[in-house]
Amino acid sequence: MQIQVVKSKIHRVKVTGAELNYIGSITIDEDLMEAANIIQGEKVQIVNNDNGERLETYCIPGPRNSGEITLNGAAARKVAVGDTLILITYAFMDIEEAKVFKPSLVFPNEANNLLK
């Protein structure tokens, strides 16, 4: 049997941009993606702490050390610049593997989204 577990989490980052006229996705500072073990194109769940919205999209890397968190396309309607988000990815694995698996949890500086 396989179960789905948290693989990665970037906890409490601020939205830096919302680009409605884009094809979709979320742009994430590549340093944050790397620290959280998230790859380009991976599905990400976005939880907006300010308005309760939850949505899913795929991620693309933004400039390193920029702190960029930009929602693109229709997802831009679900956030406002400055909103606080939690970004989560999941993985399927065997239950025994899941019991010992350790997710990548990242807690950036809340003022600028950079790694501490």
Side-chain angles (χ1 to χ4, degrees), residues 17-20 22-28 40-44 46 55-62 68-77 79:
E19 299 293 332
L20 183 60
Y22 191 83
I23 59 172
S25 71
I26 181 172
T27 303
I28 303 171
Q40 181 173 343
E42 187 170 355
K43 184 166 89 171
V44 167
I46 301 162
L55 61 118
E56 293 178 339
T57 189
Y58 63 94
C59 60
I60 57 174
E68 181 176 359
I69 302 292
T70 300
L71 278 289
N72 303 305
R77 294 195 183 273
V79 300

Side-chain angles (χ1 to χ4, degrees), residues 11-98:
H11 191 74
R12 296 186 62 84
V13 286
K14 301 277 188 202
V15 175
T16 61
E19 299 293 332
L20 183 60
N21 294 315
Y22 191 83
I23 59 172
S25 71
I26 181 172
T27 303
I28 303 171
D29 177 326
E30 193 167 4
D31 286 338
L32 293 175
M33 287 178 60
E34 191 172 272
N37 194 27
I38 297 171
I39 64 167
Q40 181 173 343
E42 187 170 355
K43 184 166 89 171
V44 167
Q45 181 182 42
I46 301 162
V47 180
N48 188 327
N49 281 5
D50 291 293
N51 65 18
E53 289 283 351
R54 288 178 173 258
L55 61 118
E56 293 178 339
T57 189
Y58 63 94
C59 60
I60 57 174
R64 288 185 178 278
N65 201 37
S66 65
E68 181 176 359
I69 302 292
T70 300
L71 278 289
N72 303 305
R77 294 195 183 273
K78 303 290 188 178
V79 300
V81 171
D83 281 358
T84 300
L85 307 180
I86 299 171
L87 310 176
I88 308 164
T89 66
Y90 300 89
F92 287 99
M93 58 187 69
D94 293 328
I95 195 162
E96 292 306 315
E97 180 184 6

